[in-house]
Amino acid sequence: MKVSVVICTYSLDIYEHFEDAVESVLNQTYDDIELVLVSDGNEAVYERMREDYGYRENVIVTMTDENVG
C-alpha cells in the first residue's frame, strides 16, 4: 500500500523546519512512500525545494497560488 505524505511551507525563514520534516519522512523504513512538497505561492521556496528534493523519484514538488485568506 502506497502512503502519500504532503508537506507545505511558504517561507524560506522556516525552511529549516520544513527540511527536518522532509528528512524525517525520507528516512522512514517503509519503502512505498510518495512525498508531495508544496510551496504556498513563494517561487523562491519552490525553486529551493526543486534543487533539494526534485531529483528524487518518490518526491513531487509543486507550487500553489499564494494563500491570502
Side-chain angles (χ1 to χ4, degrees):
M1 171 192 253
K2 180 177 265 186
V3 174
S4 296
V5 178
V6 179
I7 304 175
C8 57
T9 191
Y10 59 91
S11 172
L12 288 175
D13 293 339
I14 59 172
Y15 195 82
E16 181 179 330
H17 301 294
F18 169 82
E19 286 179 303
D20 290 342
V22 170
E23 292 302 322
S24 177
V25 171
L26 294 175
N27 290 326
Q28 295 299 309
T29 57
Y30 188 77
D31 290 334
D32 203 6
I33 295 177
E34 169 188 66
L35 182 57
V36 181
L37 306 179
V38 181
S39 169
D40 185 15
N42 186 323
E43 194 158 330
V45 170
Y46 173 73
E47 290 302 324
R48 177 83 181 269
M49 287 178 182
R50 282 184 29 153
E51 289 174 21
D52 292 347
Y53 303 104
Y55 65 92
R56 291 176 163 269
E57 185 176 310
N58 63 332
V59 175
I60 298 168
V61 178
T62 188
M63 183 170 72
T64 62
D65 293 335
E66 183 178 3
N67 183 358
V68 294

